[in-house]
Amino acid sequence: MNSIIKFFTLLLFCLAMHFSALAQEDSVSLKTIIEKAVEYSEHYPTEKAHLHFDKPYYAVGDTLWFKTYISSRLQQPSPISKVVYVDVINDRDSLIETMKLPVSSGIANGNLTLAPMNYAEGNYQFRAYTNWMMNFGEAYFFNKTITIGNTLNKKLYTNITLRSSFTDKQAEVNVKVQFKDEAGKPYSDRKVSWKVVSKFEDISKGKGVTDANGFINISATNANRALLNAGTLETDLSVSNEKTLSSSFSLKSTLTTNEIQFLPEGGVALIGLTTKFAFKAIKSDGLGIAVKGNITDNEGKEVVKFASQHLGLGMLNYIPEPNKTYKANVAFADGTSSTYNMPAALKEGINIAINDVDTASLSVRIAASSTFVDNYKNKAFYIIAQSSGVVCYAAQIKLQSQIYNALIPKNKFPNGIVQITLFTSSGMPLSERIAFIQHPETFKLTLTSDKPSYLPRQKVKMTVSAKNPLKALPGSYSLSVVDESKVPYNEDAETSIFSSMLLRSDLRGYIELPNYYFNNQDDKKRADLDLLLLTQGYRAFEYENYLNDKYPPISFLPEQGMEITGTLRMMNGMPVIKGNMQLSIPDKNISLSVLTDEEGKFKFTNLVFPDSAKAILSARNNLNSRNMIIVVDGSAFPAVTKNTNMADAVVNIDSTLNPYLQNSKRQYRTANLLDEVVIVAKSTIKKPSHADHSSLSGLSMMPDHLISGDRFKDCPFLLNCLKTSAMGLIFADEQFYVNRDYNAGQRTPVQVFLNGMPIDVNGLSTVNSSEVESVEIFLRDDLGTVNRLYNTNGVLVVNTKKVEKIKLKPGQLADLLPKSNVIDFSPMGYRKAKQFYAPKYEGPKKGVITADLRTTIYWNPLITTDQSGNAVVEYYNADSKGTYRAIIEGMDTEGNIGRYIYRYTIK
């Protein structure tokens, strides 16, 4: 409640600055708009999330470290939610895992081990959100694409280049693939068979032989361009008479088409008035493309030339004339060209334009057509500006001429996007423009070290300074130090706290190189940012909705901690009032009891327990408890949707991440996974297998692949682990398929059995991984006893551990039956954050000295500054020489956010 009062006070502070500009006679409508804006902001505050990772990419086997920042209005640490979720989604849009983290003062930290059982090479989507954020759609979630490479037992390394062309009759993709072994030696003179699969059909295929450098040229054609553009190229490289190595490459967006949009500033172009048109040219993969061209009228006369200035972004000005239409003749950088109709200009209307050249003020220009001035002269209009959901400026003007100019001081707004809207006196929005506010030196976050250069394994003393011009405030920061020679990265492409909190959280769609606009800012980058705002979709503050009392439905309340809720009913469905419910979590010595309400509902609040903890709910301490049923409420999670940032995905992971992966290979040289070896021997203890079940007696005595249950002991979800570890199988479209048959175009799924009983694939999600004895995979069913019966191809058998048989005494059988008044379950708990291991090289060296090949030298997500805004951390360097890069991000208690990069050398 105190937090709400605090935010409400900030709202009033922002608005008080310009109520003096209102005329008494027309202030009612404007006050209504403002009051409803305050009410909306109070009841529907938005949250923003940012994740700071220790590195921009990883390898299988690494531990990924991150810190989560949650902010609300005016960028302050959010008091709304105390729980945040982090999802990991693969490039097939399948959820790999979800982490639940406790939030304190708007921050949370965590880590994730990229175990080979769960992760393979590819591009993964990381998204973060709170329960409250789900009310406003996935567009508000944090999203970042992270590439994960692999060197564990990898026998094939590839590099691919793509070119495409198409006509009305045929589309063609020309692919050049290079194959190398793990030592970097080309696979020369090797046979390659390939095919392009799209929508479960082989649409193009062929064979070839690699040249002396391991290259092969592939030309795939098809009359259906869309089908080819959505396909996947699958290759089989023959390395010996008995062994082939398979690879697959996505052809999505290979057959690119170019698009360009021309958008008038303020939303409309007016005849007879100079109009600024911003444009954005992109390819079908979402990346910008350079353009140039000119605007011609309907008589063929050139009006103005134009050219893009950054990633396909640009602008032009001209005055639309009466009875004329205009076209844009555009030449794209790839050699293609096209003609587009320009937006039609209106005879009557009004719009708003912004000039952001002045560092102290926003220059507002309101332009109206002559007929509009005649019809609305001396009428009142309102200018309202909001930022981060808070109305910070409100003023009234009277229309007396075609052009009206005004200055709005920038100190009225916090850093970030400001939305400026022009209203009629009745509250109807007419025109809108967004601008970006960046106050110079409002908050300075820096790093300094005690020395400019160091020796390997030498101790580093790093000082953090977080200063506000007015006063130093407490803050929370995260620091990552990496070996830049092993982890090179384009800083402009980074997802920084600035690009997350101030840009991506308020704009729709994909933003290319988001940190470019904040990395070493200058006048050109500020101008480029303004073009982005003119062309990018904005999550508008919907004035029309709340002025008409149309508010978004609230389905998900802010979580203030972990809760277990449900309902206690009698067998006949009637709720149990004031029923006694007991909760116990043995691992945490938790034992609680509550009474149900008039609807039979119960709630256990303020719980803290780790993920996968065993919990027991009991209603036994009630009269007639045997006739009671406990129903536990489930949790809602957002659906998995397409990754909006897939344009950031890396195609050639092996070559792009080569410095990092070469170091990873040395780092994990003793941690390679063993190739499968089938050992045939007599066993004194018979273990469960498919042979124990008559329904599977027709299968071979020896499976094609046998996976020991020990490999799943640390697996949180059996199905997810089998997706990457089921040898000879591929998981696609929520089914397992025999890999070789799938690649050959046969799309018949594998039949899954659990202890001899046929189950659906999703049934594997209910199997406790620790209870698995073995997994048997049969790529063939020679007798066809299973394939014919179930119309499937291949068999996957899960055998669970045997339970010792005992003789039951009378009455004991009833004890084994599940009780409706007692529930054993594993609720999702908090993922426990580990502590980053930082070695200390002090004292004499003893024993065998191993090489320190760390890429993340230091990670600390829990840096807090003292009263003077300072903090000191110490750590030791690794063995590698070169440049180390330290990146610190964070925010103070007033919502000032900062990021700073510091480099030092190891000699």
Side-chain angles (χ1 to χ4, degrees):
M1 186 65 184
N2 291 333
S3 299
I4 295 176
I5 293 172
K6 182 179 179 182
F7 280 127
F8 188 76
T9 304
L10 287 168
L11 290 171
L12 296 180
F13 175 74
C14 288
L15 297 176
M17 294 186 244
H18 273 272
F19 266 118
S20 58
L22 309 181
Q24 185 69 33
E25 61 207 279
D26 293 309
S27 62
V28 175
S29 296
L30 183 54
K31 284 184 177 179
T32 300
I33 296 173
I34 294 170
E35 287 170 357
K36 285 186 174 290
V38 172
E39 181 183 358
Y40 181 90
S41 184
E42 181 182 345
H43 290 91
Y44 300 92
T46 57
E47 287 185 309
K48 301 177 180 180
H50 169 67
L51 263 61
H52 179 199
F53 295 90
D54 66 307
K55 288 191 289 263
Y57 45 78
Y58 300 86
V60 174
D62 287 352
T63 296
L64 178 150
W65 305 89
F66 64 90
K67 181 174 181 177
T68 306
Y69 296 90
I70 309 292
S71 72
S72 187
R73 291 168 292 191
L74 300 177
Q75 311 301 341
Q76 292 187 329
S78 177
I80 301 170
S81 298
K82 303 300 183 186
V83 179
V84 65
Y85 299 89
V86 178
D87 290 342
V88 187
I89 303 166
N90 67 14
D91 48 15
R92 292 176 179 265
D93 298 322
S94 296
L95 180 66
I96 301 300
E97 61 182 301
T98 297
M99 291 172 280
K100 185 177 185 178
L101 304 171
V103 176
S104 176
S105 300
I107 62 170
N109 64 287
N111 56 271
L112 174 66
T113 300
L114 304 176
M117 186 67 71
N118 297 331
Y119 291 90
E121 182 175 283
N123 296 282
Y124 292 80
Q125 176 190 0
F126 282 72
R127 68 178 184 184
Y129 54 92
T130 64
N131 207 52
W132 177 252
M133 290 168 70
M134 289 197 292
N135 291 299
F136 309 101
E138 191 180 349
Y140 285 89
F141 296 1
F142 170 88
N143 273 282
K144 178 180 172 67
T145 298
I146 289 183
T147 302
I148 298 176
N150 184 30
T151 60
L152 299 178
N153 273 23
K154 189 168 183 177
K155 308 298 183 184
L156 178 62
Y157 291 78
T158 61
N159 185 275
I160 182 172
T161 57
L162 300 163
R163 290 184 297 106
S164 64
S165 62
F166 53 87
T167 63
D168 293 338
K169 295 182 179 179
Q170 182 169 275
E172 181 179 15
V173 175
N174 295 302
V175 185
K176 188 175 184 179
V177 188
Q178 185 181 34
F179 300 97
K180 292 183 178 180
D181 64 16
E182 56 189 338
K185 182 181 178 181
Y187 279 114
S188 57
D189 300 319
R190 303 299 173 92
K191 294 181 180 179
V192 178
S193 60
W194 62 268
K195 62 184 175 181
V196 176
V197 180
S198 183
K199 297 183 178 179
F200 307 107
E201 294 183 5
D202 296 344
I203 61 173
S204 185
K205 57 184 175 181
K207 296 181 179 180
V209 178
T210 60
D211 62 17
N213 295 316
F215 285 100
I216 185 172
N217 292 302
I218 295 171
S219 178
T221 60
N222 195 272
N224 189 329
R225 189 177 83 185
L227 202 62
L228 185 59
N229 203 38
T232 299
L233 172 65
E234 298 175 351
T235 63
D236 289 318
L237 175 75
S238 177
V239 295
S240 67
N241 292 333
E242 299 179 353
K243 187 175 183 180
T244 61
L245 299 176
S246 300
S247 296
S248 64
F249 310 92
S250 174
L251 300 182
K252 288 182 179 179
S253 301
T254 302
L255 292 155
T256 57
T257 55
N258 302 322
E259 297 179 1
I260 189 169
Q261 278 188 310
F262 292 88
L263 302 168
E265 184 177 17
V268 294
L270 299 175
I271 291 175
L273 295 174
T274 300
T275 302
K276 178 193 288 186
F277 292 87
F279 61 83
K280 182 177 185 179
I282 60 172
K283 299 177 290 184
S284 54
D285 59 5
L287 299 176
I289 181 172
V291 295
K292 61 181 180 180
N294 64 5
I295 304 296
T296 56
D297 61 19
N298 52 341
E299 297 176 355
K301 294 180 180 179
E302 182 178 274
V303 177
V304 64
K305 286 185 168 72
F306 63 84
S308 59
Q309 63 187 55
H310 172 68
L311 300 177
L313 296 169
M315 54 83 63
L316 57 94
N317 293 286
Y318 69 88
I319 302 175
E321 297 182 16
N323 304 316
K324 282 193 174 183
T325 57
Y326 299 87
K327 289 187 177 182
N329 307 297
V330 183
F332 296 93
D334 61 2
T336 61
S337 60
S338 190
T339 300
Y340 301 85
N341 292 323
M342 292 296 289
L346 302 180
K347 294 181 179 179
E348 181 177 335
I350 188 171
N351 73 1
I352 189 169
I354 299 293
N355 188 325
D356 192 17
V357 177
D358 189 354
T359 58
S361 303
L362 290 174
S363 177
V364 179
R365 177 180 180 269
I366 296 174
S369 65
S370 57
T371 53
F372 190 92
V373 174
D374 293 339
N375 292 332
Y376 297 95
K377 194 167 186 177
N378 293 321
K379 297 290 186 181
F381 291 84
Y382 305 136
I383 301 174
I384 297 179
Q386 68 84 24
S387 180
S388 298
V390 177
V391 175
C392 293
Y393 180 91
Q396 172 192 296
I397 65 169
K398 285 193 175 181
L399 188 63
Q400 295 179 331
S401 61
Q402 281 191 267
I403 305 297
Y404 174 85
N405 294 299
L407 295 176
I408 301 178
K410 290 184 177 179
N411 61 12
K412 307 301 179 186
F413 308 100
N415 286 329
I417 292 178
V418 56
Q419 175 192 11
I420 303 170
T421 308
L422 178 67
F423 290 86
T424 65
S425 57
S426 61
M428 178 184 297
L430 295 176
S431 182
E432 183 178 280
R433 173 73 150 88
I434 59 174
F436 194 87
I437 303 295
Q438 182 75 54
H439 297 295
E441 299 299 323
T442 53
F443 178 67
K444 194 170 184 179
L445 179 63
T446 59
L447 289 171
T448 55
S449 60
D450 56 335
K451 297 179 182 180
S453 62
Y454 298 85
L455 296 174
R457 301 199 178 194
Q458 189 174 3
K459 187 177 183 179
V460 178
K461 184 177 181 180
M462 191 80 73
T463 300
V464 178
S465 175
K467 298 296 175 64
N468 187 307
L470 299 178
K471 59 179 178 178
L473 295 168
S476 180
Y477 307 94
S478 46
L479 172 63
S480 170
V481 182
V482 298
D483 183 346
E484 196 165 30
S485 62
K486 298 173 182 175
V487 194
Y489 195 65
N490 180 6
E491 178 65 19
D492 290 343
E494 185 59 272
T495 303
S496 68
I497 194 170
F498 290 127
S499 64
S500 287
M501 295 293 197
L502 303 182
L503 200 62
R504 274 185 164 174
S505 55
D506 287 321
L507 296 179
R508 298 181 186 275
Y510 171 70
I511 300 176
E512 186 176 358
L513 301 182
N515 202 45
Y516 161 83
Y517 305 101
F518 304 97
N519 183 24
N520 299 319
Q521 269 194 345
D522 55 25
D523 290 341
K524 182 185 184 308
K525 290 186 177 181
R526 281 186 281 271
D528 293 341
L529 176 56
D530 194 51
L531 289 175
L532 178 72
L533 300 182
L534 284 165
T535 56
Q536 197 82 13
Y538 177 63
R539 295 191 190 100
F541 200 54
E542 301 290 351
Y543 289 100
E544 297 98 324
N545 286 340
Y546 68 73
L547 286 175
N548 294 309
D549 296 322
K550 294 180 180 179
Y551 298 111
I554 297 300
S555 303
F556 309 100
L557 297 177
E559 291 179 290
Q560 298 303 301
M562 283 196 294
E563 297 180 347
I564 294 178
T565 62
T567 306
L568 180 63
R569 298 182 182 276
M570 301 300 295
M571 289 289 191
N572 59 9
M574 296 296 294
V576 178
I577 302 173
K578 292 185 178 182
N580 186 288
M581 287 296 303
Q582 291 185 322
L583 170 69
S584 62
I585 304 177
D587 292 345
K588 298 297 292 183
N589 293 322
I590 294 176
S591 181
L592 302 170
S593 63
V594 296
L595 297 179
T596 59
D597 61 15
E598 294 181 353
E599 296 179 348
K601 297 184 180 296
F602 60 87
K603 178 189 291 187
F604 293 92
T605 61
N606 301 319
L607 301 174
V608 177
F609 52 84
D611 199 16
S612 301
K614 304 293 184 182
I616 302 172
L617 275 173
S618 174
R620 284 177 170 173
N621 289 348
N622 293 285
L623 293 175
N624 201 19
S625 64
R626 291 188 177 183
N627 293 320
M628 293 180 181
I629 301 174
I630 302 172
V631 180
V632 180
D633 294 335
S635 299
F637 293 97
V640 175
T641 57
K642 294 290 183 181
N643 184 3
T644 57
N645 298 317
M646 271 308 292
D648 292 334
V650 175
V651 177
N652 290 306
I653 295 177
D654 294 336
S655 56
T656 304
L657 274 59
N658 183 61
Y660 186 83
L661 294 177
Q662 289 301 317
N663 182 77
S664 178
K665 187 185 297 184
R666 294 192 296 271
Q667 195 173 14
Y668 297 124
R669 64 184 181 275
T670 60
N672 286 332
L673 300 176
L674 296 176
D675 291 330
E676 182 195 20
V677 178
V678 179
I679 300 175
V680 181
K682 293 183 179 180
S683 173
T684 56
I685 301 176
K686 187 179 183 304
K687 294 184 177 182
S689 75
H690 72 283
D692 298 337
H693 310 286
S694 58
S695 58
L696 302 176
S697 59
L699 296 175
S700 170
M701 290 302 296
M702 292 300 301
D704 294 291
H705 299 287
L706 177 66
I707 307 174
S708 171
D710 293 338
R711 292 185 60 181
F712 302 104
K713 63 181 180 179
D714 297 322
C715 174
F717 302 103
L718 179 62
L719 177 58
N720 286 344
C721 295
L722 282 173
K723 290 177 184 179
T724 56
S725 62
M727 292 166 286
L729 303 181
I730 185 173
F731 188 81
D733 305 308
E734 302 304 319
Q735 293 286 350
F736 284 104
Y737 298 90
V738 176
N739 194 26
R740 63 167 182 264
D741 296 335
Y742 183 89
N743 293 335
Q746 184 179 347
R747 299 297 190 264
T748 305
V750 168
Q751 179 59 50
V752 180
F753 286 84
L754 175 63
N755 295 329
M757 297 295 293
I759 63 170
D760 183 75
V761 170
N762 292 326
L764 293 173
S765 301
T766 64
V767 180
N768 189 333
S769 301
S770 62
E771 296 176 358
V772 174
E773 178 68 44
S774 65
V775 174
E776 300 174 283
I777 298 172
F778 298 86
L779 305 180
R780 299 177 302 276
D781 177 14
D782 294 330
L783 299 180
T785 55
V786 175
N787 288 349
R788 285 197 299 268
L789 180 61
Y790 297 98
N791 195 27
T792 53
N793 178 43
V795 183
L796 187 151
V797 181
V798 176
N799 302 301
T800 59
K801 297 176 181 177
K802 279 189 174 182
V803 179
E804 184 181 355
K805 295 182 180 180
I806 59 173
K807 293 184 178 181
L808 297 179
K809 296 179 180 180
Q812 288 182 318
L813 180 61
D815 294 335
L816 296 177
L817 297 176
K819 306 293 190 299
S820 62
N821 59 1
V822 177
I823 293 180
D824 296 347
F825 65 111
S826 296
M828 177 181 283
Y830 291 137
R831 180 69 63 91
K832 185 178 181 180
K834 299 179 182 178
Q835 185 174 359
F836 179 81
Y837 171 71
K840 294 182 178 181
Y841 297 117
E842 292 179 329
K845 299 177 181 178
K846 297 180 181 180
V848 178
I849 301 174
T850 59
D852 187 343
L853 301 174
R854 288 174 295 151
T855 51
T856 299
I857 310 302
Y858 184 68
W859 167 255
N860 189 341
L862 300 174
I863 297 176
T864 55
T865 51
D866 57 23
Q867 294 298 320
S868 60
N870 296 323
V872 177
V873 297
E874 296 179 344
Y875 58 91
Y876 290 83
N877 295 313
D879 286 340
S880 299
K881 298 179 181 180
T883 302
Y884 285 11
R885 182 177 73 240
I887 301 177
I888 188 168
E889 290 188 339
M891 60 183 177
D892 66 16
T893 55
E894 290 295 328
N896 296 301
I897 62 175
R899 174 183 170 91
Y900 189 78
I901 299 176
Y902 179 79
R903 289 178 172 87
Y904 63 90
T905 57
I906 307 296
K907 297 182 179 180

